[in-house]
Amino acid sequence: MADTPRRLRSSTVVLGSMGVLAAALSACGSDPDRRCVDRDSYDFINGYKIVADKNCTSSGTSSYGKNRKTGGKRMDADWYYDADVSNGYADNGTFSRSEAVERGGFGCSGSGSGGG
């Protein structure tokens, strides 16, 4: 018998390639981690106080000055991206979604929109 190299089945190659492609595309298309915070609540040690998501708009874009009246108090709530979260506070993040996407890696920075 002659030694012949083992050949991979085409289905194995296709499925493996599709997995790599799916991982790359989902990394570029996924939204960065975000928290709804009160912009007026910044504490030097803790960061911004995290508030209920209903206080922020559901669109992924940041817009300044969204004052919401909650329990008689005005709140300047906004999405805060890629933050370190601890004890109900978020810090070291950004209010710019496009900047957060650029931080994400995999060369996805060119695909983000410029609105922010």
Side-chain angles (χ1 to χ4, degrees):
M1 279 203 171
D3 287 331
T4 57
R6 185 174 169 198
R7 293 175 28 153
L8 293 174
R9 295 179 189 237
S10 61
S11 61
T12 305
V13 173
V14 169
L15 289 175
S17 322
M18 293 300 285
V20 170
L21 180 62
L25 289 176
S26 66
C28 287
S30 64
D31 281 333
D33 182 43
R34 68 183 185 181
R35 300 283 191 265
C36 185
V37 300
D38 181 1
R39 293 174 70 101
D40 294 332
S41 69
Y42 186 76
D43 178 271
F44 183 73
I45 296 173
N46 296 313
Y48 293 97
K49 175 114 176 97
I50 297 174
V51 296
D53 287 354
K54 68 181 180 180
N55 294 306
C56 291
T57 61
S58 60
S59 71
T61 61
S62 172
S63 67
Y64 298 99
K66 290 189 296 266
N67 288 315
R68 303 241 186 254
K69 193 166 184 176
T70 57
K73 175 185 159 193
R74 288 223 175 260
M75 180 185 307
D76 187 10
D78 205 353
W79 292 115
Y80 194 54
Y81 299 94
D82 285 343
D84 299 329
V85 177
S86 178
N87 297 325
Y89 286 86
D91 201 12
N92 300 321
T94 178
F95 286 104
S96 168
R97 182 186 179 280
S98 59
E99 185 178 319
V101 170
E102 287 178 9
R103 292 183 188 183
F106 289 123
C108 301
S109 61
S111 64
S113 65

